[in-house]
Amino acid sequence: MRREAPRSVADYTPLFFPALMLVVFFVVPFSTMIAVSFFKRNPSGFYTPDFVIDNYARFLSVFFGGVLGFSLMLAVLVAVCCVAIGFPFTYLLTRRPRRVQTLWLVGLLSVLSLSEVIIGFAWSTLFSRTAGITNLFVAIGLMDKPVALLPTFGAVLTGMVYQALPYTILVLYPALVRLDPTLLEAARTLGASPVKAFFNVVAPALRNTIVATLIMVFVFALGSYLLPQILGRPQHWTLSVLITDQAIYQSNMPFAAAMAVFLVLISLALVGMTLLVGRRENAL
Amino acid sequence: MTATWLRRLYFTVVALFLAAPLIVVAGVSVNSRQELTFPPVGFSLAWYAQIFTDPEWRLALIHSVTLAVCSAAIAVAVALPLAWFLWRRIAPWANIFQVLGLAPFILPPVITALGFLSFWATVGLFGQFFTAIISHAIFFVTLPLVTLSLGFASIDRSLVEAAATMGADDRTVLKTVVLPLILPYLVSGYAFAFVLSLNEYIVAYMTIGFTTETLPIKIFNALRYGYTPTMAAVSIFFVAVAALVFGSIARFGDIRRLLGAMSSDGS
């Protein structure tokens, strides 16, 4: 049965329910959020309909500029760490037997599905003085007494790399598992060592994949909202944390919405870039 | 073979990094004292029992499971006809719905969550439990949509053609050929949505967090008043459920294919 163009209204029936759900519960809420970003805050309730750009103007302050700069820097750092660890790892994983791959994929999916709350809780336990990793160092004589490793920037970074690493590996997996093995064989036949073949043949061949993955992980890391709160100090808070904070604790929905719209624009621009990079790869 | 040893070391380090927080949390969860200590003092499964016996934790568990069961079902109900239509028909503009189905998952979650918050608040339904079910369903529709699209792409069209030639109409083909072939993809799509929904925090928090607690919300709220071993037990419980579900998918299906490996290469 080949694909056919729909001829009658009845042919469109399967589309009704999905279209209705996605429009009513995704497009409409999304538009509502954009509308709210222009509303006026109402201290007694949520907000009152209006058309003001104060919410955006407030965003252009030094403070929020700093937060934005920090968020972007942190997300870049997380993306670079994850791809640096994840790319060679994924490559080696795809060369392993089926069973080994399956086992790892199950483990990675399990970690990926963990709630940010649990990841935050787990790392804050690991970094704590009472139940932390430093107790282990004391036990084997590396340290004199246990210390707390949080709240620090390092703790935030570690937690976020932990959260994003399974995602990175699973994003890289399809490209690497489909990599043409003859490419590597040719390099090996010509006398390249496995490491040399990896850096001179595999990595350059997948340059666009690497760039696309960096951007995807960057957007993923940009969405982290609990880890900076649990593992860091207020100066480590990111844009996502501020949005949550404004929406829930400050009850300032319009301002939260304005920041969210801004975050959407950044993310969309970046996702658009990955699509462009991907398209160029396919054209090759 | 130094290369083999290096690879083993690298794999071990990554495995340790991924497992370390879980090992510590697992250790804490079997502690016999009412505080977080590691290495654990004594051994007790009391904290696991508390998830089911303490009324607050049990209620949170029931909320989480109800939410995950219902929202994953709706997510599949949205994804299945859409994926089928895109496979069966040529209607390029219909791809816009595919983009809409993928978007909630690609954008930072706080955005989707805030969209739901402003929507439910505007229509005056904010805080009702069913709003969280619908929100989760839309948030996770991406997962069954991706697995089902993969499933449809894997169907050999000549098989369907043969059925049609022998006189089967669209409905019969769907029921006797297409649905059995994509059933594994449907099940794994449901499972993915279920597990992620169980663990989801921000969408639930922004829709029902002020009225109803799910397990992640309960853990987060409990975090503010200090740590208890029950939180550790819940965390391990979550990991176990996820590992069990994904393990079953791997056991009964091809998880490598679901994650993007071609089935034909055999590697």
Side-chain angles (χ1 to χ4, degrees), chain B residues 70-114:
Chain B
C70 301
S71 60
I74 299 177
V76 169
V78 171
L80 181 61
L82 179 57
W84 183 76
F85 183 86
L86 293 171
W87 172 79
R88 176 75 184 82
R89 302 284 174 196
I90 304 173
W93 55 266
N95 287 322
I96 186 106
F97 294 111
Q98 189 173 26
V99 174
L100 286 179
L102 299 178
F105 203 67
I106 291 171
L107 292 173
V110 68
I111 292 166
T112 315
L114 202 66

Side-chain angles (χ1 to χ4, degrees), chain B residues 118-242:
Chain B
S118 38
F119 175 69
W120 297 119
T122 305
V123 295
L125 292 168
F126 175 77
Q128 307 260 4
F129 191 68
F130 80 91
T131 62
I133 294 179
I134 295 176
S135 305
H136 266 203
I138 299 296
F139 188 53
F140 291 118
V141 76
T142 310
L143 301 159
L145 193 58
V146 167
T147 61
L148 284 167
S149 303
L150 266 170
F152 280 115
S154 74
I155 294 178
D156 185 355
R157 280 184 194 269
S158 60
L159 211 67
V160 182
E161 207 125 353
T165 324
M166 290 164 86
D169 61 2
D170 228 20
R171 188 177 289 268
T172 317
V173 170
L174 186 66
K175 220 163 39 189
T176 56
V177 182
V178 174
L179 281 181
L181 282 174
I182 56 146
L183 190 65
Y185 297 89
L186 198 133
V187 172
S188 49
Y190 181 89
F192 278 85
F194 174 81
V195 170
L196 269 88
S197 170
L198 207 57
N199 281 292
E200 202 282 331
Y201 167 78
I202 196 153
V203 172
Y205 193 64
M206 286 208 183
T207 49
I208 51 161
F210 307 93
T211 50
T212 316
E213 275 183 333
T214 61
L215 276 179
I217 297 175
K218 172 92 180 122
I219 300 179
F220 186 67
N221 289 342
L223 265 175
R224 282 190 235 159
Y225 307 108
Y227 299 81
T228 66
T230 315
M231 292 157 61
V234 174
S235 306
I236 295 304
F237 176 73
F238 272 129
V239 186
V241 170

